Amino acid sequence: MIIILLGPPGSGKGTQAAFIQKKLSIPHLSTGDILRKSIKDGTELGNTVEKIMANGELVSDKIILNVIKGRVMQDDCKSGFILDGYPRNVKQAESLNLILKEVNKEINKIILLDVNFDSLKTRIANRSKENTDEIRADDTSEVLIKRLKEYKNQTAPLEIYYSNNINFNKINGMDSISNVSHNIKKFLDIAN
Ligand code: AP5
Ligand code: MG
C-alpha cells in the first residue's frame, strides 16, 4: 500500500506515520527526516540544504526528486510505503506520478491532517520543549511563520489537486492523537 500523509508543519504527520508503520509494517519515508540526517552526517546534500531548511523554505524540487527516487527504489519499499512531507507542491505530485508509473504502482490512500494554524504554534513550541536532545533549527516561532507561509502557498493547493481522487480523505487533526489514529485506521481498513 502507498499512503501519502499531507498536512501543515506540526499537524501530526510524523506521529501518525509512525502509527501506520507499526500497523502495516511498511517503511515511513519522511523527506524532512532524510534531509535532517544528511545534515547530521555532514554529506554534500546536507550542506546544500542546511540553510534552506533552517530558514523554513522548501528545498528545490530537483533535490527532492533525487532523494525520493533513490529511496522508493530500495528493496524495503516493494510492498508499499508511507510518504510524510512529500509531495509538497503540485510539481512534486506530478513527478511522483511518473516515478510510480515507472515501477507500475499507484497511490492507494491520501490523507490530509486538518489542523488550524493557531494550535500548530503551541504544538511546535511543546515539541522543542519535550524533545530537547533533537531540537530542530526550524522550530522557532519566527521560522514556523515562514514554514506556514510556504505551506499555504505551495502545499495547500494539493488539497484541490487530490480532491477528485476517491482515495483522498481529510481527517480532523485537531482530535487527540489516539482518535486521529483511530480514524486513520478506519480509512485504511486496518482491522486492529
Ligand atoms: P518536515 O520534516 O516535513 O516538517 P514539517 O512539514 O514542517 O512538519 P513537522 O515535522 O514539523 O510536523 P509533523 O506534521 O510531522 O508533526 P509531528 O507528528 O511531529 O520538513 C522540514 C523541512 O524540510 C521543510 O521546511 C523543507 O525545508 C524540507 N522539506 C521536507 N520535505 C520537503 C519536500 N518534499 N520538498 C521541499 N522541501 C522539503 O507533531 C508535532 C507535535 O505535535 C509533536 O510534539 C506531537 O507529539 C504533537 N501532536 C501530534 N499530533 C497531535 C494531536 N492530535 N494532538 C496534540 N498534539 C499532537
Ligand atoms: Mg514531521
Side-chain angles (χ1 to χ4, degrees):
M1 172 133 48
I2 296 175
I3 302 162
I4 297 180
L5 270 176
L6 299 170
S11 58
K13 300 183 295 296
T15 305
Q16 298 302 334
F19 167 79
I20 303 169
Q21 175 177 36
K22 248 195 198 157
K23 289 284 170 195
L24 296 179
S25 303
I26 49 174
H28 165 197
L29 312 188
S30 156
T31 39
D33 287 349
I34 296 170
L35 297 173
R36 278 184 290 277
K37 180 158 190 312
S38 70
I39 294 172
K40 210 171 160 189
D41 294 347
T43 66
E44 202 185 323
L45 170 67
N47 292 336
T48 312
V49 300
E50 186 166 16
K51 252 196 173 152
I52 302 168
M53 287 176 77
N55 280 332
E57 290 155 20
L58 291 191
V59 170
S60 79
D61 294 337
K62 194 174 162 202
I63 290 178
I64 294 293
L65 181 62
N66 280 331
V67 166
I68 206 76
K69 214 170 173 179
R71 187 61 189 90
V72 301
M73 298 295 177
Q74 284 171 23
D75 255 12
D76 62 333
C77 289
K78 269 192 178 141
S79 51
F81 44 87
I82 308 150
L83 292 171
D84 157 7
Y86 173 87
R88 207 91 169 192
N89 58 31
V90 172
K91 203 163 169 218
Q92 290 185 13
E94 284 168 347
S95 54
L96 173 64
N97 291 340
L98 294 178
I99 298 173
L100 295 180
K101 211 171 172 184
E102 258 180 55
V103 288
N104 239 333
K105 285 185 175 146
E106 55 185 45
I107 301 161
N108 300 95
K109 298 281 180 189
I110 304 144
I111 299 167
L112 170 65
L113 295 173
D114 193 23
V115 177
N116 77 42
F117 279 19
D118 279 340
S119 53
L120 299 174
K121 289 179 198 153
T122 325
R123 284 193 192 180
I124 295 292
N126 286 343
R127 179 171 65 186
S128 13
K129 268 186 239 155
E130 283 159 15
N131 194 1
T132 42
D133 36 273
E134 207 161 334
I135 293 188
R136 278 172 50 169
D138 60 351
D139 268 356
T140 63
S141 54
E142 297 80 36
V143 179
L144 179 63
I145 293 169
K146 274 207 202 160
R147 285 158 67 197
L148 291 172
K149 207 169 150 194
E150 289 279 74
Y151 180 82
K152 260 190 207 161
N153 294 337
Q154 305 221 40
T155 314
L158 285 178
E159 184 177 349
I160 298 167
Y161 181 84
Y162 286 123
S163 60
N164 288 331
N165 190 314
I166 51 158
N167 299 311
F168 172 80
N169 195 12
K170 199 161 155 175
I171 287 182
N172 178 14
M174 297 290 291
D175 230 333
S176 67
I177 293 179
S178 60
N179 281 351
V180 177
S181 300
H182 176 80
N183 290 328
I184 287 178
K185 218 169 75 172
K186 269 206 303 201
F187 176 57
L188 298 180
D189 257 331
I190 300 172
N192 48 54

